Amino acid sequence: MSLIPNIFGGRRSNVFDPFSLDMWDPFKDFPFPNSVSTSFPEFSRENSAFVSTRVDWKETPEAHVFKADIPGLKKEEVKVQIEDDKVLQISGERNVEKEDKNDTWHRVERSSGKFMRRFRLPENAKVNEVKASMENGVLTVTVPKEEVKNHDVKAIEISG
């Protein structure tokens, strides 16, 4: 399979990854106004870039390990779920900070809103033993792997 360099992040990713359910949006990193934020400016902050939470997925000999950057959220504001014994779903929401009428905002860069990432797990995932932890704004989800059984090969004697 071909590895394509990511021109925005410098990391390499497999474009043909059969386990990822993410859809590629060629315009997501460009500052184009969309029709919702242009027509209804009050919704533009709620629907901002928090939806693009970055997740790393690595496979070790023992497990599949997912790490998601979700700074500023408490563990109670994040959900980790397994759907249909094959899809890992990480979701949550960062609420918009309450505004006081006397406040004057000079810059709003921190994103808010809902996010959801989904990953199709491979056959060897032990979905009943998934563990999740959060430390310093990084969620770590560990999905243990079943041992790959080597198929026994039995020699058959040929008679005759």
Side-chain angles (χ1 to χ4, degrees), residues 56-67:
D56 292 341
W57 174 2
K58 74 176 177 179
E59 182 176 354
T60 68
E62 300 81 28
H64 294 275
V65 181
F66 298 83
K67 290 191 180 236

Side-chain angles (χ1 to χ4, degrees), residues 19 21 64 81-89 118-130 143-144 146:
F19 301 116
L21 297 178
H64 294 275
Q81 300 170 307
I82 301 290
E83 292 182 355
D84 301 324
D85 287 338
K86 59 185 168 204
V87 177
L88 170 67
Q89 179 173 299
R118 298 168 53 116
F119 301 92
R120 187 177 310 122
L121 296 170
E123 294 291 323
N124 66 350
K126 289 183 176 179
V127 294
N128 294 326
E129 297 178 23
V130 175
V143 182
E146 293 179 4

Side-chain angles (χ1 to χ4, degrees), residues 11-151:
R11 289 190 177 183
R12 296 169 68 91
S13 63
N14 188 338
V15 174
F16 303 105
D17 182 1
F19 301 116
S20 177
L21 297 178
D22 297 331
M23 298 300 290
W24 179 61
D25 179 1
F27 302 110
K28 79 174 171 90
D29 291 319
F30 290 98
F32 297 138
N34 63 29
S35 60
V36 173
S37 64
T38 305
S39 304
F40 305 99
E42 63 273 15
F43 293 124
S44 64
R45 260 182 57 189
E46 287 182 25
N47 297 328
S48 65
F50 195 51
V51 294
S52 63
T53 297
R54 306 284 187 200
V55 178
D56 292 341
W57 174 2
K58 74 176 177 179
E59 182 176 354
T60 68
E62 300 81 28
H64 294 275
V65 181
F66 298 83
K67 290 191 180 236
D69 289 336
I70 47 176
L73 289 183
K74 299 175 189 146
K75 67 180 185 177
E76 297 81 21
E77 298 171 314
V78 178
K79 282 186 188 177
V80 177
Q81 300 170 307
I82 301 290
E83 292 182 355
D84 301 324
D85 287 338
K86 59 185 168 204
V87 177
L88 170 67
Q89 179 173 299
I90 301 170
S91 61
E93 181 174 6
R94 176 178 293 140
N95 295 320
V96 176
E97 198 169 310
K98 292 182 180 175
E99 297 183 19
D100 187 332
K101 291 180 183 177
N102 298 325
D103 291 343
T104 301
W105 290 85
H106 294 281
R107 183 176 294 273
V108 177
E109 293 183 352
R110 294 184 311 138
S111 55
S112 61
K114 294 181 181 182
F115 72 92
M116 179 174 57
R117 297 294 306 272
R118 298 168 53 116
F119 301 92
R120 187 177 310 122
L121 296 170
E123 294 291 323
N124 66 350
K126 289 183 176 179
V127 294
N128 294 326
E129 297 178 23
V130 175
K131 302 261 188 273
S133 64
M134 202 152 85
E135 186 175 340
N136 296 327
V138 178
L139 172 71
T140 301
V141 180
T142 304
V143 182
K145 293 178 2 182
E146 293 179 4
E147 289 184 32
V148 177
K149 295 180 182 178
N150 293 332
H151 297 291

